[in-house]
Amino acid sequence: MKVLLRSVRIIDKASPLHGQVKDLLLENGTLAQIGDGLAADGAEVKEGNGLCVSAGWIDMRVASRDPGYEHKESIESVQEAAARGGFTEIVLLPNSRPVVDAKDTLNYVRKAGNGGPVVLHAAAAVTKGAEGVDFTEMIDLHTSGAVAFTDGEHPIQNADILLKALLYLSPLNALLMNRAEDRQLTLFGQMHEGVSSTLLGLKGMPALAEEMMLSRDLKLLEYALEKSTTPATGLPLLHVSLVSTARAVELIREAKAKGLPVSCDVAAHQLAFEDRDLMDFDTNLKVNPPFRSAADAQAVRQALADGTIDAVVSDHSPHDEESKNLEFDHADFGITGLETAFALTQMHSGLALEAVIEKLTSRPRQILRLPQVSLEVGKPGNLTLFKPDAEWSFERTYSKSKNTPFLGKVLRGRVCGVVNQGSFRWFE
């Protein structure tokens, strides 16, 4: 199949054509030519009209629910939602049933994602059942293709477990991902602890719960480095997922200034809301970490701008009607975010387009030890096609679950297509 993309702006800092408007010719998913005024020669033509192309986007934090919870999300549906959101690669959390804590489950996830434009990378659990008690066979899981290690939706509470995980993974040059939350401090919590939670009569989740646990994790990282005999690689050993408070980003900024091998991300939806937006008890806005104060949100945006926050993720967390359509106190935490992550980052981060793309491409791949992707003639394409200024109405989700506050809303930043693994998908 031949496709000619005419008058496309290239967003790729690794390419000498960065910022230029060119024609791109694709043949069976391979980037055959880049030039001006390319002849169609029987190719299907897609006109530019504000179209941009970049390396394919990657999402570091996605809950697929498959195996075990396919009624919420299946491998097929999460791949479709990812493609529609512009992602050609996604990292799946291990919190399925069974948990991805053994090679057979890991291989099921990796093989299920073969083919099509969206590659699935599996993160394996640190502890069996992601219960925070006994270690998994991390060396075997690493050699079998686990891209990182995390207990996913269950932050590691035991300091000894986290420390030993850092010591075990350091010689493997493998990544530990953890979300900072002291669950004793957030027990029965429903939203950010503040004026809004008081007005609503809801149990609050204090910022302190994130900041205390993050401080612990960074101290343990520093201690692990002192004990380790493994030469430093310059890559992060600890990745902090879903930072949300002003003090948390300051702690990471200080850690980076000290040279600690740490990185972090933020969920795209955290940029769009604050705790005061929960006044009508919309359960689609019940997330963890919760939406914080205006000051926290502004600090997060600043941390994105100065590079303290390395990546933006969707934190795609699908739930069925029975888990969300009930009283706020009883609803599950989470938002589906694959299809809206780019638009929300465009609209609410304050970043220039180049910086947005970097948070979705090169930096996540570097953290995950994955090969960098660029636009190269003669190489199989791994590309995302998008119109950053196009407005569109989010009327339909391709996820099996509909727990998103953005259905029916007009968003800015539209994904037009993806190219990967020899597959071309066009959505306009």
Side-chain angles (χ1 to χ4, degrees), residues 199-275:
L199 292 173
L200 293 172
L202 293 173
K203 174 73 164 62
M205 304 168 73
L208 182 66
E210 179 174 327
E211 295 155 5
M212 278 186 58
M213 195 60 81
L214 177 57
S215 180
R216 181 208 72 170
D217 290 357
L218 294 173
K219 288 287 187 183
L220 291 174
L221 174 62
E222 193 168 13
Y223 183 76
L225 293 175
E226 293 173 359
K227 297 295 182 183
S228 176
T229 58
T230 306
T233 65
L235 294 171
L237 175 58
L238 175 66
H239 181 79
V240 182
S241 300
L242 307 181
V243 295
S244 68
T245 79
R247 181 56 184 153
V249 296
E250 185 59 33
L251 287 168
I252 292 170
R253 189 176 286 117
E254 292 169 359
K256 287 186 171 186
K258 292 168 65 174
L260 292 182
V262 62
S263 57
C264 66
D265 64 53
V266 65
H269 54 251
Q270 284 285 350
L271 306 172
F273 295 106
E274 300 166 4
D275 61 338

Side-chain angles (χ1 to χ4, degrees), residues 137-155:
E137 298 290 339
M138 286 190 282
I139 294 177
D140 283 350
L141 289 164
H142 176 69
T143 57
S144 296
V147 72
F149 290 87
T150 177
D151 277 355
E153 295 174 326
H154 304 292

Side-chain angles (χ1 to χ4, degrees), residues 94-95 98-106 122-144 146 148-152 156 161-162 164-166 168-169 172 174-176:
N95 309 105
V99 168
V100 182
D101 59 4
K103 288 191 290 185
D104 55 351
T105 318
L106 177 74
V126 175
T127 62
K128 294 178 181 177
E131 294 175 346
V133 179
D134 298 317
F135 283 109
T136 59
E137 298 290 339
M138 286 190 282
I139 294 177
D140 283 350
L141 289 164
H142 176 69
T143 57
S144 296
F149 290 87
T150 177
D151 277 355
I156 298 172
I161 291 285
L162 189 124
K164 285 191 169 76
L166 290 169
Y168 292 160
L169 294 176
L172 302 176
L175 181 68
L176 176 65

Side-chain angles (χ1 to χ4, degrees), residues 191 200 202 273 275-285 328 405 409:
M191 63 176 293
L200 293 172
L202 293 173
F273 295 106
D275 61 338
R276 59 188 176 187
D277 294 316
L278 275 70
M279 299 303 288
D280 61 356
F281 295 97
D282 182 358
T283 59
N284 286 322
L285 297 181
F328 196 92
K409 299 292 193 299

Side-chain angles (χ1 to χ4, degrees), residues 303-304 307 309-312 351 355-361 363-364:
L304 270 172
I309 296 178
D310 301 90
V312 175
L351 296 177
V356 170
I357 298 305
E358 184 180 16
K359 305 291 185 185
L360 296 171
T361 56
R363 187 59 178 141

Side-chain angles (χ1 to χ4, degrees), residues 10 12 14-17 24-26 29-34 53-55 371-383:
I10 297 171
D12 182 3
S15 169
L17 299 175
L24 277 64
L25 180 65
L26 300 168
T30 294
L31 187 54
Q33 293 184 60
I34 302 177
V53 62
S54 73
Q372 291 294 337
V373 174
S374 187
L375 278 72
E376 294 185 52
V377 172
K379 297 289 184 68
N382 183 346
L383 312 172

